Amino acid sequence: MDKVCFEFENGKKINLELYREHAPLSVENFLDLVKSGFYDGLCFHRIIEGFMIQGGGFEWKNGLVNKEAPKTIKGEFISNGVNNTLKHEAGVISMARTMFPNSASSQFFICVDTHPHLDGQYAGFGKTCDEESLKVAIELSKVATTYVNGYADVPVEPVVIKKAYVIE
């Protein structure tokens, strides 16, 4: 099983295990981005307490600066014709997307509670692999947020991924 670690500037970590059996394209895309260093230095730009933490698309440079992903992939979820049965419960990582089903690229979110309304609509592709990682995600979901550059739910103090890497 593939595993990835997000190490934050404050030293905390979120370890994730990835489920190819649910979303092989999402896992492969995510691993490619991790291995290329794409996520290093990016921030979690959308945080909603009790819901999720979202990252993978912006750097923090005195405001949010978009970082374009190299490609988009097919949305691997039931309403898009893919039999992905992974439930959006606490710790599940899923691909973020626009209203277009095949618009997932680099952005992802980690659920901090159970959200069945996302099941079949978003491509869950992994989960936190230990209690400490889930605890870190839940703690992050409780940071103070504000509006920045027209975006809502942005952390007041940037939450930056120092390094993302594959766990051997």
Side-chain angles (χ1 to χ4, degrees):
M1 177 181 302
D2 298 296
K3 294 184 178 182
V4 167
C5 178
F6 286 131
E7 183 178 330
F8 297 94
E9 288 188 333
N10 66 6
K12 295 196 177 198
K13 296 179 180 180
I14 294 178
N15 296 313
L16 301 157
E17 54 191 23
L18 308 179
Y19 304 147
R20 289 180 188 270
E21 67 273 21
H22 289 287
L25 296 174
S26 297
V27 169
E28 199 58 43
N29 181 62
F30 186 73
L31 285 171
D32 287 348
L33 292 167
V34 167
K35 291 173 185 175
S36 74
F38 182 88
Y39 293 118
D40 299 353
L42 297 187
C43 64
F44 277 77
H45 65 277
R46 184 172 176 234
I47 292 180
I48 302 174
E49 186 174 358
F51 180 33
M52 59 86 212
I53 58 176
Q54 182 174 338
F58 292 89
E59 297 175 275
W60 182 263
K61 294 183 179 178
N62 295 321
L64 293 174
V65 178
N66 186 50
K67 183 173 182 182
E68 281 298 318
K71 65 181 180 180
T72 57
I73 59 172
K74 177 180 174 74
E76 295 175 294
F77 44 88
I78 292 171
S79 69
N80 201 32
V82 176
N83 189 27
N84 181 343
T85 58
L86 186 60
K87 303 289 185 201
H88 286 83
E89 57 189 29
V92 166
I93 183 170
S94 193
M95 292 304 295
R97 62 176 177 82
T98 68
M99 62 188 228
F100 301 106
N102 298 320
S103 61
S105 58
S106 63
Q107 290 192 39
F108 60 86
F109 60 93
I110 301 171
C111 295
V112 296
D113 202 349
T114 300
H115 294 284
H117 67 281
L118 301 174
D119 297 346
Q121 304 298 317
Y122 289 85
F125 65 97
K127 189 173 182 180
T128 52
C129 39
D130 53 69
E131 285 301 314
E132 184 61 27
S133 293
L134 179 58
K135 181 180 168 192
V136 169
I138 291 169
E139 284 174 7
L140 287 177
S141 78
K142 296 177 180 181
V143 301
T145 60
T146 189
Y147 289 87
V148 175
N149 302 9
Y151 294 98
D153 307 311
V154 178
V156 171
E157 293 293 322
V159 176
V160 178
I161 300 168
K162 179 180 175 182
K163 180 107 180 113
Y165 55 90
V166 174
I167 300 170
E168 302 297 333

